[in-house]
Amino acid sequence: MNDIPGGRPHAAVFRTGAGEGTPAPGGRGGLRPTRRRTLSVALALAGATGLGGLAGCSVPAPRRGGPTADPAPGMPITNSRRAQLMQIMAHPDDDLYFMNPDCQRMVDAGVPLVCVYVTAGEHTGKNHVPGRTDETVADKAAYSSARHQGLRQAYAQMIGLDRFTPWQKGVATLRGDRQAEIDTLTHGNRRVELVFLNLPMHAPRRWMAIPSLWEDRALGLRTVVATDSPVRRASDYDYDGLIDVLVGLMERYRPTVVHTLDPDPDIQHSDEATRRKDSEQPGYSDHGDHTAVASFSWAAMVRWVAEATADGGAIPGFVTTSFRGYYNRHWPKNLPEPVLREKAAHLVPYGGDPSWQCGNDAGCGDYMVGGSRPLTNKKGWVRATHHRYPGPGPVVTTGPDGRLSVHGVLGLRAVRWRETEAGSGQWGEPDDLGGGPLAPGLGGATLLDGRQLLFGLRFAALGGHGGANKREIAVLEQRSPGGPFLAWSGLGNPERDDDRGRRIGVPVAVTATDGRVHLFVRNADKGVSSRVREADGTWGPWRDLGGGEVQDGLSAAVDGRGRVHLFAAGRERVHHWAQGAPGEPVAFRPGGALPAPGGPVGVAAAPDGGLALYYRRPAAPELVAVRPDGTRLPAPAFDGYGTVDAVGTPKGPVLLGRDLRGRVQLHVGGRHAVRARGVVALGPATPHLGPQGAMAVGVGADAFPWSWSSHTGTA
């Protein structure tokens, strides 16, 4: 990528506000649950749009309160059952580097795609040609146009057309009378639209324009008009204007799936030379534009939901996936060779070549990216695809009447779908459980009396311009098995500082045989923190469990002796925490000889009462099966990529994952099956053992559940 932050570090990437929630009674350290407690999601809704240049006004626009997210349950939810994918990126190529192969799988399945690029990608204006020694002339409008052409080439090839296929170019009028170029191409049931907002990457005295726009109330930006664009005039943006435009695009396209970048990247300490070489912002493992655009995207989703539900309106039904960015450089690569080459192949037409006759006089791609460079680039961004919130699949439970319930996040809120009849595999409309805005995915634990606990990572506050920016873990407790839920309660954050608190991971929980619930989250130091719910319902304090640095995507289990175990993928091995005996604290277990993992670990009970781990080594398609002590187990043929979920049975493990083509696959009773029909699956699915046998349950691109029984072939 050519989006290097340059020599001047951006000061104070994202400031955070202070303040804690109201303590709950009884010393539980959470937020007092009330039915209509409105979350303070600061979105600074200033209305000025007439800023005349890059430097903005000298008098800041006043902050405007609301709209804010309402965590109370019971709102109606829209559900069209049509699929639409929207991706929001900082730069041209962020999607190709970080959101594939997920994007390609949906496009291949016929899901319409709209890509929104916030910046012009113009950087210094120099489209360097590899191997050329003469000085490249700077032309920001031309370089932006060349990168746009590279995207057209890449997506034309992705949907099965010649890379130089002409696109339909048009101009869209957005909120605030702003204009953007929209390029459209269709082929059979495949449709791609590219929306270029074209905000500048840099601004005088600030260098990093988009992070400054998130922070600085006095800043306004004027767009870059790309060469050969049908847009003929520049548009002006301030903080509030960009959020409004993104909300307007969401309202226009009504996406059921939204892909964003990482709003809260890991803390990453690098010396200045390494930081510049890695194109990262000071102190964090990503480009500053990625973080700012992700924050704007999440603020826009919160506002979209708030606007839609005003005056009794319905929640828009969409699911969200956020992708890690330059994080890919720091952790083991997780794409096997066939998937990697398929992903890298889309960057070749994007990079293009100056000798191509593409019909765009400004350039035929981003020349430093094409050819063999995606695979030879030492930064290795293309060699992995990591989700920011890599939780398990949806929480699946069985009610007293035998009907399955699926719990997930829809419209940034927790929801529950229930089977219309036991065993039917048909799902009713979602029940809104509130709690938003929530990160994707929920953690779950079933109490000994059959009641369900749901855990979410909540954006307790999300505001630019120095507003509060807080994350917390929240819990929802069921009143009775299969019945309604109590109000949401906050469990706080293992980090005392708001900025560090933004780095925590998704919650994972397990119920021990003594009735205690052990809750685990990855913390800002990339270790693990835990909080324990006693059998009487009271919560203990957060506790740092120590151990080595790990990726997010924790796995918790209870062995046959009643001991709680936790596993997490590190850089060179799987890390292990466990109780010495039931009821004792969970503690780090140093040593061990577990092979290096490429990603999260699946854990299943073994027939002898022990545990078995299932995962893939870095860049390997084959499955590893191993005991926690390193003893190897027979591994079934289960080639693929991504997370493997496992459930133990007396006849051997049930394994659930994806094959090399991204299709859901099940291994049951020594047999292997691939889900070849039905709506394309999103994220991980959940294995479930019921009266009819083993099945997979997940959420599709239409933001609705699906279930599949491999032994019957039903979907």
Side-chain angles (χ1 to χ4, degrees):
M1 296 175 68
N2 294 349
D3 310 316
I4 301 172
R8 282 175 284 177
H10 173 62
V13 178
F14 290 127
R15 296 189 300 272
T16 56
E20 297 293 332
T22 304
R28 301 190 188 186
L31 299 179
R32 178 181 292 116
T34 61
R35 176 162 177 79
R36 279 287 168 189
R37 183 170 58 83
T38 300
L39 299 178
S40 57
V41 183
L43 292 179
L45 306 181
T49 59
L51 304 179
L54 287 171
C57 302
S58 59
V59 179
R63 291 178 64 90
R64 189 166 83 234
T68 57
D70 187 342
M75 293 187 182
I77 304 176
T78 60
N79 191 355
S80 66
R81 298 301 303 274
R82 50 167 283 281
Q84 170 71 60
L85 171 61
M86 172 179 280
Q87 302 190 137
I88 306 175
M89 285 73 62
H91 314 115
D93 77 3
D94 288 344
D95 41 352
L96 303 177
Y97 270 112
F98 308 120
M99 297 177 179
N100 263 339
D102 293 34
C103 167
Q104 182 187 344
R105 302 307 183 210
M106 278 187 271
V107 170
D108 289 346
V111 177
L113 168 65
V114 57
C115 295
V116 180
Y117 303 93
V118 171
T119 77
E122 83 291 357
H123 190 38
T124 62
K126 295 184 177 182
N127 194 2
H128 295 284
V129 179
R132 183 174 293 179
T133 58
D134 57 313
E135 178 64 22
T136 302
V137 177
D139 187 333
K140 293 184 176 182
Y143 186 30
S144 177
S145 177
R147 297 187 76 174
H148 296 175
Q149 175 61 25
L151 288 170
R152 289 189 287 267
Q153 292 164 180
Y155 278 106
Q157 183 170 298
M158 183 184 290
I159 66 174
L161 294 171
D162 182 84
R163 64 182 60 161
F164 301 136
T165 300
W167 290 59
Q168 178 184 348
K169 292 185 177 182
V171 178
T173 300
L174 311 177
R175 288 190 179 185
D177 196 34
R178 301 173 179 90
Q179 290 189 342
E181 177 180 341
I182 297 186
D183 298 347
T184 306
L185 188 64
T186 60
H187 181 221
N189 67 340
R190 301 179 182 185
R191 178 182 178 90
V192 178
E193 294 180 69
L194 310 178
V195 181
F196 301 112
L197 301 186
N198 262 37
L199 276 71
M201 289 179 60
H202 308 300
R205 300 183 301 279
R206 289 176 175 83
W207 185 241
M208 301 290 286
I210 305 300
S212 297
L213 191 68
W214 176 262
E215 282 289 336
D216 190 349
R217 290 171 56 198
L219 181 65
L221 298 174
R222 174 159 287 179
T223 59
V224 175
V225 178
T227 302
D228 200 35
S229 172
V231 174
R232 294 289 182 257
R233 64 174 174 86
S235 297
D236 297 311
Y237 281 83
D238 60 2
Y239 167 95
D240 211 41
L242 179 52
I243 296 177
D244 267 339
V245 162
L246 294 176
V247 172
L249 289 168
M250 293 173 186
E251 184 62 32
R252 170 176 176 161
Y253 287 98
R254 308 292 297 181
T256 54
V257 183
V258 179
H259 283 176
T260 82
L261 295 165
D262 182 358
D264 301 320
D266 278 357
I267 295 170
Q268 177 65 36
H269 300 293
S270 303
D271 61 78
E272 186 63 13
T274 301
R275 181 195 71 79
R276 294 187 189 184
K277 181 180 178 181
D278 289 348
S279 308
E280 295 178 350
Q281 58 191 297
Y284 301 93
S285 63
D286 210 350
H287 193 288
D289 286 356
H290 296 172
T291 308
V293 167
S295 298
F296 275 114
S297 302
W298 274 88
M301 289 188 290
V302 172
R303 184 180 293 186
W304 183 31
V305 172
E307 287 187 3
T309 56
D311 301 322
I315 301 165
F318 66 96
V319 295
T320 306
T321 302
S322 293
F323 293 83
R324 298 282 196 180
Y326 293 173
Y327 174 102
N328 290 0
R329 173 167 173 74
H330 300 284
W331 292 95
K333 308 306 181 277
N334 62 6
L335 296 182
E337 189 72 13
V339 182
L340 168 62
R341 291 199 172 275
E342 185 181 27
K343 177 181 178 180
H346 296 305
L347 282 155
V348 175
Y350 165 75
D353 189 275
S355 66
W356 287 3
Q357 301 299 313
C358 65
N360 186 49
D361 293 339
C364 296
D366 189 354
Y367 298 143
M368 285 295 290
V369 174
S372 63
R373 285 173 289 280
L375 291 173
T376 57
N377 187 328
K378 294 182 180 179
K379 295 174 183 177
W381 294 324
V382 75
R383 294 182 174 272
T385 298
H386 288 284
H387 295 161
R388 172 60 177 87
Y389 309 105
V395 178
V396 181
T397 60
T398 303
D401 59 0
R403 290 190 297 164
L404 293 184
S405 291
V406 176
H407 307 81
V409 176
L410 188 65
L412 307 183
R413 301 164 68 84
V415 297
R416 175 177 58 185
W417 292 274
R418 285 192 273 203
E419 274 188 306
T420 55
E421 294 181 8
S424 68
Q426 302 297 314
W427 307 95
E429 295 302 312
D431 299 321
D432 171 42
L433 303 179
L438 297 172
L442 297 172
T446 303
L447 300 176
L448 297 185
D449 61 6
R451 292 182 297 131
Q452 187 69 31
L453 297 181
L454 298 175
F455 300 91
L457 172 57
R458 181 158 64 185
F459 284 71
L462 175 62
H465 291 177
N469 217 331
K470 295 167 59 69
R471 312 291 179 262
E472 71 169 350
I473 303 298
V475 61
L476 187 64
E477 181 175 327
Q478 202 168 32
R479 291 179 182 270
S480 60
F485 288 84
L486 301 169
W488 283 89
S489 180
L491 296 178
N493 191 307
E495 303 291 346
R496 295 176 181 267
D497 173 78
D498 284 351
D499 184 73
R500 286 176 57 85
R502 291 173 53 189
R503 318 301 154 186
I504 65 171
V506 294
V508 173
V510 67
T511 303
T513 54
D514 59 8
R516 291 187 175 97
V517 176
H518 293 257
L519 171 67
F520 304 100
V521 297
R522 183 179 188 249
N523 58 38
D525 289 327
K526 309 180 187 72
V528 176
S529 293
S530 176
R531 201 170 177 187
V532 177
R533 180 189 188 271
E534 299 296 329
D536 64 2
T538 59
W539 284 91
W542 285 104
R543 187 167 62 93
D544 191 331
L545 300 186
E549 292 187 347
V550 300
Q551 301 180 63
D552 205 5
L554 312 178
S555 301
V558 179
D559 67 16
R561 294 172 54 189
R563 298 176 301 177
V564 173
H565 295 254
L566 179 74
F567 300 92
R571 288 187 172 85
E572 298 177 350
R573 65 183 180 91
V574 174
H575 295 270
H576 181 201
W577 294 258
Q579 293 176 316
E584 292 184 359
V586 175
F588 181 63
R589 305 296 177 191
L594 297 175
V601 176
V603 185
D608 62 1
L611 296 175
L613 313 183
Y614 300 91
Y615 58 94
R616 307 185 199 282
R617 301 198 61 160
E622 302 85 11
L623 196 64
V624 170
V626 64
R627 297 276 195 181
D629 64 2
T631 303
R632 293 298 185 103
L633 297 170
F638 201 67
D639 286 6
Y641 70 97
T643 303
V644 176
D645 288 308
V647 178
T649 76
K651 295 183 179 181
V654 172
L655 302 176
L656 174 62
R658 290 181 180 269
D659 69 4
L660 292 172
R661 293 170 56 186
R663 302 173 301 179
V664 174
Q665 59 177 344
L666 266 171
H667 177 88
V668 182
R671 296 183 178 182
H672 177 263
V674 175
R675 178 177 178 263
R677 295 186 294 116
V679 64
V680 62
L682 298 179
T686 300
H688 180 75
L689 303 182
Q692 297 179 336
M695 66 169 56
V697 182
V699 175
D702 58 353
F704 208 75
W706 56 265
S707 60
W708 171 57
S709 300
S710 63
H711 59 286
T712 63
T714 59

